[in-house]
């Protein structure tokens, strides 16, 4: 995953970057299986409808299939069953409620507003709940705006039948490819680790590390997702869990190898990434047997850590069978790394989170306000087939899918493009059997264009919806322009009532999420080098003592707890990056303010890497740091987190972190100094909290703000920092370190031990 570098400055007469970014197609391969499924799932019901002289029934089945095609975003078959089936149930409920208030005037306005509130609130639970809430509201709007066949149960039954068609087509490959997506994902994680080892010491390391984080997230989600009751009982699952868990030691050894390569120009030998790639092939093909590893002799602590982790992974990957005892321990290891809780526990947590979360209520109220306004408007003003206004609002008002502002703009462009495609079809082609081959082509474009971006997805879906709705209302070409007007009205309602009237929507949330990540980083530092554990092992053997012991060197307690904390921290950083990318699509000033946080995002990730590298060195014999050094680093990070929550103005400061320059924490202190120097909020801000004498740093660690303020990220010609800023240094406003290059620690003095 490439680093989302801030957008370059555009020429004066060129459109702004935040607008053009969404209009450029994203590089993505065409998902040909999804293309074939979409064509069949949407065209076949139409053919059956015409053959039985019930075209309206066929159109409703195709509408249900369209919902299934949009929701089929998972790879693992068990997850796809869940992702398609659950939203279909909510969609059936939505169309039933909508049909009950069809033509009821203000009763329909009140009902849809209440449904919008519920839809918005449940969307905060997770990805499947978000799609379910979307279909609940979409189908309610359709049911309230289009006449449905009698009796009341026909419409939800036909829509659900369309979802069943998609689900059936999706599961045809399960007997032949069951488990293959999971194996491919785990093998891909091994290949990402191989690329990371290969990039150690180079500028490409940060990008490869992000790819490892994304691959680990995807693999754990696929292997562990919704399988809480299968742990320890499914041999294939146990094997994949064991193979995935042993990736963690290699990921922990990589920062130490990277640090050694940067400081001493000693990259890892090519045999190491080659051996990991061979393990990836073994995972994907299921190959077992005695591992044949030919690794060069390791001399330094970082090299020993890498060699030990690779050899341990090879032993697990090539193991033919796992005993029940090993299966039990693998399941326990999975628990430590994020296994989902029991279904009833997750439902109870979700309900509590929805009802007690301020963010859930705010989003639900925003969506309800926009839907209520759209329905009230079309009730007061005669708008033909007015449901399109509320449909537009529903699609746009999905902030978990991206920026509301950019989605409104892209929706307008995409709808206009889709209408240009639909207009000649509706004008020249009479409704009948000719719609079937047309639907074959139009439906195929939906998955192909969805991977290119939201505007392209909108352009592909618009003619499909128009064609299907015309089979229900028989208005033809005459509603093409009204559909454009309705879309523009819906976009305007979303922009005004769902964006401009809510200050939180045009203020970036990067700072808050980054503050949480910095605070978690402080806790991780304490966990990595805190008091020795009283439990000793961690209660699970999915990650045994592969580092070579050395608990007397300050092992920070439970290895599993440390691993889980590190994984959670990198997930947090992934969410920060996602929020950063979303904020860059906002118009000024939100986009410009978001760009200011990019250097600190890089710095925090490097702090986590430096902490992990130091922990690996301690595990392999380096002296443990003094508790006072650990406490000072942790205090600086917590102060930084407090400052990030108190101000959006960034200034450079001094941060004197004293300690053993030859100790394992020297690179970590340097990264912390760099982070505070590039992005510490000013304590003079009006909203800054008063200092706490109990936690204030000593005079030697005082922080003094400089007069310069960092508010934007440099352009391509900006300052590049290959080392941390010197004490008292200052940059001109608008400058910051190059996000692709980071501090290079000084080599150890007096023969200090290498990482």
């Amino acid at each position: 995953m490439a680093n989302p570098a801030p957008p370059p400055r555009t020429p004066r007469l060129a459109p702004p970057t935040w607008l053009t970014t969404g209009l450029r197609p994203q590089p993505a391969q065409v998902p040909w299986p999804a293309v074939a499924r979409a064509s069949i799932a949407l065209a076949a019901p139409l053919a059956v409808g015409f053959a039985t002289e019930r075209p309206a029934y066929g159109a409703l089945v195709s509408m249900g299939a369209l919902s299934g095609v949009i929701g089929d975003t998972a790879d693992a078959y068990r997850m796809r069953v869940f992702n398609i089936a659950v939203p279909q149930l909510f969609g059936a409920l939505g169309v039933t409620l909508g049909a009950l208030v069809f033509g009821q005037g203000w009763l329909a306005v009140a009902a849809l507003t209440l449904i919008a509130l519920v839809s918005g609130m449940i969307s905060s639970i997770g990805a499947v709940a978000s799609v379910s809430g979307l279909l609940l509201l979409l189908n309610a709007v359709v049911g309230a705006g289009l006449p449905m066949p009698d009796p009341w149960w026909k419409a939800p039954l036909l829509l659900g039948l369309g979802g069943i068609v998609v689900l059936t087509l999706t599961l045809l490959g399960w007997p032949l490819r069951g488990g293959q997506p999971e194996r491919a994902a785990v093998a891909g994680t091994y290949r990402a680790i191989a690329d990371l080892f290969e990039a150690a010491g180079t500028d490409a390391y940060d990008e490869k590390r992000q790819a490892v984080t994304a691959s680990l997230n995807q693999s754990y989600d696929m292997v562990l997702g919704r399988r809480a009751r299968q742990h320890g009982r499914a041999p294939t699952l146990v094997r994949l869990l064991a193979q995935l868990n042993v990736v963690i030691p290699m990921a922990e050894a990589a920062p130490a190898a990277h640090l050694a390569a940067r400081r001493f120009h000693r990259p890892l030998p090519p045999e190491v990434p080659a051996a990991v790639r061979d393990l990836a092939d073994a995972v994907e093909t299921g190959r077992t047997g005695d591992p044949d590893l030919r690794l060069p002799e390791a001399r330094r602590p970082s090299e020993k850590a890498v060699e030990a982790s690779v050899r341990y992974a090879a032993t697990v990957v090539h193991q033919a069978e796992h005993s029940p005892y090993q299966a039990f321990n693998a399941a326990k290891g999975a628990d430590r790394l994020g296994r989902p809780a029991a279904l009833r526990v997750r439902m109870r947590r979700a309900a509590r989170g929805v009802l007690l979360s301020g963010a859930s209520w705010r989003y639900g109220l925003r969506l309800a306000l926009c839907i209520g306004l759209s329905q009230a408007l079309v009730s007061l003003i005669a708008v033909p087939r007015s449901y399109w206004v509320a449909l537009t609002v529903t699609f746009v008002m999905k902030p978990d899918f991206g920026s509301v502002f950019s989605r409104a703009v892209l929706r307008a462009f995409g709808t206009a493009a889709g209408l240009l495609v639909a207009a000649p079809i509706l004008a020249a082609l009479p409704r009948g059997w000719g719609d079937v081959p047309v639907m074959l082509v139009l439906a195929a474009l939906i998955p192909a264009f969805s991977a290119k971006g939201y505007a392209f997805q909108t352009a592909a879906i618009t003619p499909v919806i128009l064609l299907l709705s015309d089979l229900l209302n028989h208005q033809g070409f005459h509603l093409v322009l009204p559909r454009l007007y309705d879309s523009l009205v819906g976009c305007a309602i979303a922009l005004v009532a769902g964006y401009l009237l809510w200050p939180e929507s045009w203020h970036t949330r990067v700072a808050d999420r980054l503050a949480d990540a910095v605070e978690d980083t402080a806790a991780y530092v304490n966990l990595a080098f805190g008091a020795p554990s009283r439990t000793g092992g961690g209660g699970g053997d999915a990650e045994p003592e592969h580092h070579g012991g050395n608990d007397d060197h300050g092992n920070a307690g439970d290895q599993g707890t440390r691993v889980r904390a590190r994984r959670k921290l990198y997930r947090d950083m992934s969410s920060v990056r996602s929020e950063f990318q979303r904020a860059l699509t906002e118009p000024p000033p939100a986009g410009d303010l978001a760009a200011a946080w990019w250097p600190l995002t890089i710095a925090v990730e490097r702090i986590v890497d430096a902490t992990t590298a130091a922990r690996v060195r301690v595990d392999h014999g380096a002296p443990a740091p003094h508790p006072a050094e650990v406490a000072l680093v942790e205090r600086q990070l917590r102060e930084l987190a407090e400052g990030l929550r108190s101000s959006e103005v960034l200034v450079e400061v001094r941060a004197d972190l004293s300690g053993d320059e030859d100790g394992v924490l020297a690179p970590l202190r340097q990264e912390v100094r760099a982070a505070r120097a590039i992005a510490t909020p000013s304590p003079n801000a009006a909203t800054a909290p008063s200092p706490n004498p109990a936690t204030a740093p000593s005079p030697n660690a005082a922080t003094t703000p400089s007069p310069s303020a960092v508010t934007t990220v440099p352009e391509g010609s900006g300052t590049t920092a290959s080392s941390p800023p010197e004490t008292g240094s200052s940059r001109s406003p608008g400058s910051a370190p190059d996000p692709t290059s980071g501090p290079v620690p000084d080599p150890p003095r007096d023969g200090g031990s290498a990482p």
Side-chain angles (χ1 to χ4, degrees):
M1 183 177 66
N3 288 339
R9 190 181 302 276
T10 55
R12 180 171 299 179
L13 297 179
T17 304
W18 56 265
L19 175 61
T20 58
T21 299
L23 295 176
R24 286 195 298 266
Q26 300 298 318
Q29 294 182 346
V30 177
W32 293 111
V35 167
R37 284 195 301 271
S39 292
I40 298 173
L42 270 73
L46 286 185
V48 175
F50 288 122
T52 58
E53 299 183 355
R54 292 288 190 274
Y57 290 2
L60 284 174
V61 175
S62 293
M63 280 188 175
L66 175 61
S67 302
V69 167
I70 296 175
D72 185 18
T73 57
D75 292 319
Y77 283 102
R78 291 180 178 87
M79 295 175 66
R80 295 168 86 170
V81 172
F82 196 82
N83 285 10
I84 296 174
V86 173
Q88 289 294 324
L89 295 177
F90 280 86
L93 176 62
V95 75
T96 302
L97 296 176
L100 291 176
V101 296
F102 172 73
Q104 297 298 317
W106 290 103
L107 178 61
V109 174
L112 290 179
T113 302
L114 181 59
I115 293 173
L117 175 64
V118 175
S119 170
M121 293 183 67
I122 66 175
S123 295
S124 63
I125 296 176
V128 176
S130 180
V131 177
S132 300
L134 176 67
L135 286 187
L136 172 67
L137 183 54
L138 282 178
N139 286 2
V141 170
V142 171
L146 285 174
M148 295 292 158
D150 290 326
W152 64 269
W153 49 264
K154 268 190 182 177
L157 179 64
L158 293 171
L159 288 171
L161 182 59
I164 293 176
V165 171
V166 176
L167 188 59
T168 302
L169 293 174
T170 299
L171 300 183
L172 287 178
W174 197 344
L176 300 177
R177 301 181 67 249
Q180 194 276 334
E182 291 93 332
R183 289 196 301 272
V186 175
T189 302
Y190 275 79
R191 294 188 179 99
I193 287 288
D195 294 340
L196 185 66
F197 282 152
E198 204 167 47
T202 70
D203 292 337
Y205 177 84
D206 284 341
E207 179 181 343
K208 300 302 181 183
R209 182 196 59 217
Q210 290 305 314
V212 169
T213 300
S215 183
L216 274 171
N217 291 345
Q218 179 190 16
S219 297
Y220 272 116
D221 288 343
M222 289 182 63
V223 174
L224 295 177
R226 306 175 193 87
R227 298 182 178 188
R229 296 186 178 275
Q230 294 188 16
H231 290 291
R233 296 203 296 257
T236 303
L237 175 63
V238 170
R239 181 177 180 81
L240 282 175
L241 280 176
Q243 293 173 342
L244 186 56
N245 284 342
V246 295
V247 170
I248 301 297
M250 293 190 287
E252 287 184 334
H258 174 62
L259 185 61
R262 291 290 291 267
R263 295 175 72 183
F264 306 106
H265 306 288
R266 190 179 64 249
L268 288 173
E271 291 87 351
V272 173
V276 178
R277 290 192 177 95
D278 182 71
L279 294 180
D281 295 337
V283 169
E284 193 163 22
T285 60
R287 189 175 73 238
T288 60
D290 295 331
D292 182 20
L293 289 181
R294 300 179 182 179
L295 301 177
E297 182 182 359
R299 294 185 174 88
R300 304 279 184 172
S302 61
E303 296 171 351
K304 292 178 181 178
V306 171
E307 180 187 18
S309 64
V310 173
R311 290 190 181 279
Y312 176 64
T315 301
V316 173
V317 167
H318 288 279
Q319 187 173 0
E321 294 181 0
H322 294 271
S323 67
Y325 176 76
Q326 290 171 318
F328 174 73
N329 286 326
K332 291 171 66 178
D335 287 345
R336 294 187 321 209
L337 297 178
R339 167 187 156 180
L343 180 60
R344 63 180 183 277
V345 176
R346 282 179 282 161
M347 292 180 63
R348 186 168 61 249
R349 290 174 182 171
R352 184 169 58 246
V354 166
L355 295 176
L356 302 181
S357 169
S360 171
W361 278 99
R362 286 193 299 272
Y363 173 49
L365 290 173
R366 285 172 62 188
L367 184 57
L369 174 63
C370 294
I371 292 295
L373 287 176
S374 64
Q375 288 298 115
L377 176 66
V378 300
S379 296
L380 296 172
I381 302 174
V383 177
R385 301 305 175 189
S386 55
Y387 65 91
W388 199 271
V389 177
L391 282 179
T392 300
V393 170
T394 303
F395 277 117
V396 171
M397 286 297 300
K398 293 295 291 181
D400 53 327
F401 290 171
S403 163
V404 171
F405 186 95
S406 62
R407 283 172 66 85
V409 176
L410 296 176
R411 177 84 185 172
F413 280 106
T415 301
L419 290 175
L420 289 177
V421 175
I425 297 175
L426 294 175
L429 186 67
R431 303 284 69 79
W433 281 97
D435 291 336
V436 176
V438 171
M439 185 60 70
L440 276 172
V441 176
L442 293 179
L445 298 179
I446 295 176
F449 278 28
S450 294
K452 301 297 182 182
Y454 179 66
F456 297 91
Q457 183 190 50
T458 302
I461 291 177
T462 297
V464 171
I465 295 180
L466 280 176
L467 186 59
L468 294 177
S469 61
D470 188 54
L471 290 172
L472 296 174
N473 56 44
H474 309 289
Q475 295 295 316
F477 175 78
H478 301 291
L479 281 183
V480 171
L481 285 180
R483 288 294 74 80
L484 178 60
Y485 302 150
D486 294 345
S487 295
L488 295 179
V489 170
C491 291
I493 291 174
L495 283 177
V496 175
Y499 182 80
L500 295 178
L501 296 183
W502 300 80
E504 67 174 15
S505 64
W506 31 275
H507 285 295
T508 174
R509 294 176 293 176
V510 176
D512 291 335
R513 294 193 177 184
L514 197 54
D516 293 338
V518 171
E519 192 166 8
D520 288 345
T521 303
Y524 177 63
V525 170
N526 178 273
L527 184 64
F529 302 104
S533 171
R534 291 191 297 267
T535 59
D541 297 333
E543 284 204 54
E545 298 300 330
H546 53 274
H547 293 308
N550 273 337
D551 283 346
D552 346 338
H553 292 286
N555 187 349
D558 190 337
Q559 168 74 1
T561 302
R562 214 166 58 231
V563 169
R564 185 172 62 244
R566 182 175 179 272
R567 290 285 302 122
K568 178 182 181 299
L569 186 53
Y570 272 114
R571 279 186 180 268
D572 291 345
M573 296 308 299
S574 294
S575 69
V576 170
R577 285 172 171 261
S578 298
E579 179 63 25
F580 178 83
Q581 291 173 317
R582 186 200 69 81
L584 286 182
T585 63
E586 300 278 7
D592 293 340
L593 289 175
W597 301 105
W598 175 242
L600 184 58
T601 302
I602 297 295
V604 172
E605 290 177 341
R606 288 174 175 167
I607 288 172
V608 180
D609 270 359
T611 305
T612 303
R615 181 68 244 177
V616 169
R617 290 181 61 189
V618 171
D619 287 339
H620 283 270
H626 193 276
E629 291 184 73
V630 179
L632 185 58
V633 171
E634 182 185 1
R635 183 169 58 202
Q636 290 281 344
L637 289 172
R638 294 195 184 280
E639 288 177 359
L640 176 58
E642 290 180 10
L644 290 175
R645 291 192 177 94
S646 66
S647 174
E648 291 191 1
V649 178
L650 307 180
V651 298
E652 299 174 24
V653 299
R654 290 193 201 98
D656 182 14
L657 279 169
S658 58
D660 183 6
E661 293 302 320
D662 296 332
V664 294
L665 290 190
L668 175 58
R669 286 195 304 274
Q670 194 167 11
E671 297 289 2
V672 174
R673 282 196 297 266
R676 298 210 62 172
I678 64 177
T680 298
S682 170
N684 295 328
T687 58
S690 58
N692 184 351
T695 59
S698 63
N700 291 334
T703 57
T704 305
S706 72
S708 61
V710 181
T711 56
T712 59
V713 173
E715 309 306 324
S717 58
T719 303
T720 300
S722 59
S723 61
E726 298 295 334
T727 301
S729 66
S730 63
R731 299 187 186 91
S732 59
S735 67
D738 184 348
T740 61
S741 66
V744 180
D746 298 324
R749 297 177 295 183
D750 302 327
S753 62

